[in-house]
Amino acid sequence: MSEQLTLYLHEISPFSQKVELALVEANAPPYKVYRVDLRNKSEWFTSKVNPVGQVPVVTYGGPNTEPDNPSPLSAKIAESNVILEFLADLYPDSGLLPKNPILRAKVRFFINAITKHIEGTYFSFLRGNESLDNALNAIEFIQELLEEGSDFAIGDHYTIADACISPHLARLKIVTETDIGNFPVGMGYKLGEELKGPKFAKFKKYAQGMLDRPSLKQIYDEEIVIEYFKSIFTDRVQ
Amino acid sequence: MSEQLTLYLHKLSPYSLKIELALIEANAPYKSYQVDFQNKPEWFAGKVNPAGKVPAVTYGGPNVEPDDPSPLSAKIAESNVILEFVADLYPDSGLLPKDLVLRAKVRFFIDATTKHIEGPCYAFFQGKEPYDNILKGIEFIQELLEEGRDFAVGDHYTIADACISPQFEALKIITKTDIGKFPVGMGYKLGEELKGPKFAKFMKYAQRMLDRPSLKQTYDEEFAITFFKTRFTERVQ
């Protein structure tokens, strides 16, 4: 009998979606999902689930209670990349992490690169605090790490590396197609043009493969994220 | 017969030190090579780590001299990635617990160390920020420590302890000698703050980590102090 698993999330959060993707791709046994209202956070969420008040968070084990009545007996696990590793531990034969230590190190290096270059440099570009060139260099760094001749970032199976980057790839598509962001007008379109060039062919192919996966289509609603982006990116730099 | 492991490091790099501590605590055999950053060997970036940084590890391949790395070995960079790799290589060393929830706690602790300790300590040391974020970070870490527990997580030395211990050495030097780019006296002042009852739990844990033979064996505090004295002569006002 497996332990209960409850995921607290929000569909606009790429960090929440990393975890959802991993669960779907791993064919995880049934788990509960609870959508946290980020603008109107329930007091029980911060006091009983995550003191930092952020999503995603997972509760694991303890009695099978309703998500809005979390038990003190369950373990509480926060931070998207920590949760990804936890899921890989929970489902060791899912392929979420390879068995080979060197390949596991490659998966972790890829995730580390996403933190630095996508969640760091590329996010700064979206905020209008970083040049297009540096955003492109960041994507090139990621491209260099992609396995040759594979649909996946590392090895020949979907891993937490793919789950980690896919929500960002989905949002990258929005940026290049709508130019929404705080960077100067047109830079989003320009980013899209550059990524269509031969230099980024490997990245483009990988990204498209990730976007085409049923797991992403199942959990991701582009319209909602477009509306969300319009509401947060209101301060263009010149 | 186990595979060769070579650690490319620098004695003053807190990130390199994390790996040395993990390897020593796991009783793991390894070769080490100190990279001279004033005179970087030109083979280092091409054959070991394209980013040119330490720590970096080669694993497997023929048993060559460290200054003649083989293309057949795996190359692994980034300190926290290497910590997980060492834990994978030595699954019974205790570097990562077997219990899944405890493993998540170790990783959360490492994530918190990166965000709340390493970042603020570096920024303060470089004179870019006052020490307020260090104190906030210490409070955050302190919440994760359990009273009466010798280690960060569980009842064995893990990669969480290895990850944070180098920062205790950095804080010790800063508060003892006031060396750094921050305004004169701020290092001493930070030291005074840390002596308060508010941070007692953290300081007790820090002292236990500083007292471990693995750290004493590998870290030369006097050498570090001498080096930093010559390097950090400019102060912000």
Side-chain angles (χ1 to χ4, degrees), chain B residues 138-160:
Chain B
I138 287 175
E139 271 189 85
F140 190 95
I141 292 287
Q142 199 164 243
E143 287 295 299
L144 305 177
L145 297 172
E146 285 180 49
E147 209 60 71
R149 276 239 130 92
D150 288 345
F151 304 102
V153 177
D155 51 16
H156 196 280
Y157 192 97
T158 65
I159 52 175

Side-chain angles (χ1 to χ4, degrees), chain A residues 51-108:
Chain A
V52 176
Q54 290 173 340
V55 292
V57 197
V58 141
T59 68
Y60 177 75
N64 212 344
T65 60
E66 285 306 304
D68 58 5
N69 187 19
S71 161
L73 298 174
S74 60
K76 319 292 186 294
I77 300 160
E79 289 304 324
S80 63
N81 293 343
V82 173
I83 300 171
L84 286 179
E85 289 271 2
F86 179 69
L87 295 180
D89 274 341
L90 261 187
Y91 311 118
D93 299 319
S94 62
L96 281 182
L97 263 177
K99 305 268 185 185
N100 177 284
I102 293 169
L103 286 180
R104 289 162 79 92
K106 283 185 163 173
V107 169
R108 289 165 173 146

Side-chain angles (χ1 to χ4, degrees), chain A residues 201-221:
Chain A
K202 191 170 158 197
F203 176 83
K204 197 106 205 331
K205 184 160 179 268
Y206 167 74
Q208 194 56 53
M210 287 295 122
L211 294 177
D212 288 340
R213 291 186 79 76
S215 55
L216 187 61
K217 291 177 191 283
Q218 175 181 330
I219 62 140
Y220 176 70
D221 183 335

Side-chain angles (χ1 to χ4, degrees), chain B residues 49-92:
Chain B
N49 183 7
K53 297 196 282 201
V54 294
V57 144
T58 67
Y59 177 75
N63 210 345
V64 293
E65 286 305 306
D67 59 5
D68 185 24
S70 161
L72 298 174
S73 57
K75 317 294 185 294
I76 300 160
E78 288 304 323
S79 63
N80 294 341
V81 173
I82 300 170
L83 283 179
E84 290 270 5
F85 179 67
V86 175
D88 273 341
L89 285 183
Y90 299 101
D92 300 319

Side-chain angles (χ1 to χ4, degrees), chain B residues 188-207:
Chain B
Y188 293 137
K189 208 157 175 273
L190 174 60
E192 285 311 305
E193 299 253 18
L194 291 179
K195 286 186 192 146
K198 191 173 177 189
F199 301 110
K201 194 159 98 167
F202 177 86
M203 294 303 279
K204 264 196 242 161
Y205 167 69
Q207 194 56 52

